[in-house]
Amino acid sequence: MNPIEALDRIKQLSAELEEHNYKYYVLASPSISDYDFDMKLKELSDLENAYPEYAFDDSPTKRVGGDITKEFINRKHNYPMLSLSNTYNKGEIISFHQRVLKGLENTVPEYVCELKYDGVAISLVYEHGKLKHAVTRGDGEKGDDVTNNVKTIRSVPLNLKGNFPDFFEIRGEIFMPHKAFNDLNQERLERGDAAFANPRNAAAGSLKMQDSKEVAKRKLDCYLYYVIGDQLPFSTHFESLNEAQKWGFKTSSFMARCKNTDEIDEFIQLWDKERKKLAFDIDGVVIKVNSYAQQQELGFTAKSPRWAIAYKFKAEQACTPLLSVSYQVGRTGAITPVANLEAVFLAGTTVKRASLHNEDIIKKLDIHENDWLYVEKGGEIIPKIVGVDLEKREKNAKPIAFLSQCPECGTELKRSEGEAAWYCPNEFECPPQIKGRIEHFISRKAMNIDSLGEGKLEILYDKGLVKNIDDLYVLKYKDLIGLEKSFESEGDQKNRIIRFREKTVENILKALEASKEVPFERVLFALGIRHVGETVAKTLAAYFKDLHHLMEANAEELINIPEIGPRIAESLVSYFSSKKNRAIIQALEAYGLQTTFVDNRPEGQNKAFEGLKVVVSGVFTNYKRDEIKSLIENAGGKNVSSISAQTDLLVAGENMGPAKKEKAVKLGIKIIDEDEFERLLNTSAE
């Protein structure tokens, strides 16, 4: 066989194998035997070995793995990958529906109900019909590129067919079917390895394995449930998913279009019963507004879309004895009581501990010593105590008394008026508070000094090298090289030893130096001031421009800033009134950290929206709505979600709700269309 004939045969075999994959894994309607499929795959593999120049990245032979990934690249999502808000009863679904109606100016939407798969969220990026990237959710902005491992999943197409957009993303859930999970655990037990607790954990662990050949053996599966892109061929979510199946994707047939909350409830009740018959795990139902235009109109909060919500099935429960109550100290000094329980298997994992949150919860549940407690977990990771079996209570059992002194440093606890938690005020001497603040400071969304994770920080604290966040920046090579510590592991696992070798030390010092370029708003967030999260830190940085002006602000000035309430203002004033905190900040500034806000708007860019509160509504021709909002912010404006007397401007697109426009006219708010928006944006600074 000459090279031209080999190439033709490789193309023919690849097309046939992809078609058979589609019929078997997507349509569940195989047209050839497994033996015939394997023979074709072997022939293709032999040809690719003989003609390696024709072994393409999208070849069906990639399904069996073989690529080794030493380190998973962190890749930014083209569109934020947000999580869904949860709801647990029909009343909350009705509230969601009412919020949607309000956002759509009383236009009644159609909903799509789907199953909520219990697996690992994934985003697949396709260019010109070929799989380019597969990225995990991560923090919503960035995730890990696991493309090589996802290529081994037979239900994920490497090449598309039909009339698909040139560029789009499709999102879904990777999971391990029950049979594959049971087979895997049986193999592990026979080898003497620990079994996986549940299919979700097994799927997550499989997706991050370095050897894709091993991933291929795990028999993962994937349902796709959301198409996202700028040039989608359909106007509704339901149509897009049906078309996506024709392109080669495995989309669920367990979907329903619903006109009202009663129909949504019928779908939920049906699948609450039928889910036990499925070959995979689900933990609820997802409800989405069907129209893409209405989804755009409703928009997003900082964490989740306003046009979708997840209904979680009633959590599984178990009843187990309370052995004791211990207390944890957080980085802000908050004391959290924890119930130590007799081990009980619940929702796929063994539960030994559960948070009791605060003293009020203990009193509300009326927990006594040695009580039998009801524990709930369901699809959630963190178990919680929901009640007490009073029939099993011992006769002279005493109520659990909340402690009065810090369990770590012995300081008398305090509780502020209006707050549920007790606090240890000894912030500069209490070990968990010190370590917690430093851990927060180095975290990804703060200073992003990830080289100090995995127990290394604890070693530095134990050795007395780091007692405050500013101590990090005086660390030298000679301080770190050769440090080590053994960490005890649970069960039969060997103890883990962490050593500071040459490469480790170099990475730590490089990360510390790189953190000096982290922008001021993230430095402010990294300080760990109570109630100052990412969004508040950005608001404060943009308003005060530098840390010194913020430090001198009084409570009255702070409260006058939009989104800053009395609790945040009080926390800021208290933090900056501390001489120790000021000394730490002075040291950080001396070491070169950023304490001045940098306006990243291009030089000379028009500031036509400077100081204006702007509402963006409707669908636009040349922009996505989020792009318009971003341009408004870059031009000095502030986006607000609803029309009010404080609104300065309405940017109106097609299909905008008539009630919103009517309200703007009534209040005398200026209304501009897309053309006028562009004209303002492109006007010279003068």
Side-chain angles (χ1 to χ4, degrees), residues 520-590:
F520 168 43
E521 56 268 28
R522 278 175 54 193
V523 175
L524 180 58
F525 169 63
L527 293 177
I529 305 169
R530 285 187 70 199
H531 310 309
V532 177
E534 290 176 86
T535 303
V536 170
K538 286 178 183 176
T539 299
L540 292 168
Y543 184 88
F544 286 101
K545 306 303 182 189
D546 69 63
L547 188 52
H548 292 283
H549 283 97
L550 172 59
M551 289 168 68
E552 301 308 320
N554 58 36
E556 186 179 354
E557 184 178 359
L558 289 163
I559 290 169
N560 286 329
I561 302 168
E563 301 170 19
I564 305 299
R567 192 170 63 164
I568 297 173
E570 183 183 334
S571 178
L572 285 161
V573 171
S574 173
Y575 181 88
F576 291 124
S577 66
S578 163
K579 289 182 180 179
K580 287 189 177 180
N581 285 333
R582 283 178 170 263
I584 290 170
I585 289 168
Q586 187 177 4
L588 293 175
E589 194 168 25

Side-chain angles (χ1 to χ4, degrees), residues 72-142:
F72 293 96
I73 298 168
N74 211 234
R75 192 175 296 282
K76 187 172 173 30
H77 292 297
N78 294 306
Y79 310 90
M81 199 169 178
L82 305 177
S83 55
L84 295 178
S85 298
N86 291 329
T87 182
Y88 298 91
N89 56 56
K90 187 176 180 181
E92 291 175 343
I93 291 172
I94 291 170
S95 297
F96 164 70
H97 174 59
Q98 289 170 343
R99 291 195 300 272
V100 169
L101 286 177
K102 184 179 178 182
L104 297 177
E105 306 291 350
N106 291 320
T107 301
V108 180
E110 180 181 61
Y111 294 102
V112 176
C113 288
E114 308 163 22
L115 304 184
K116 186 178 181 297
Y117 307 101
D118 194 13
V120 182
I122 197 75
S123 182
L124 308 177
V125 179
Y126 284 81
E127 281 192 11
H128 307 296
K130 295 182 184 297
L131 175 63
K132 186 173 183 184
H133 300 302
V135 185
T136 61
R137 184 195 304 280
D139 63 4
E141 293 293 328
K142 299 178 198 167

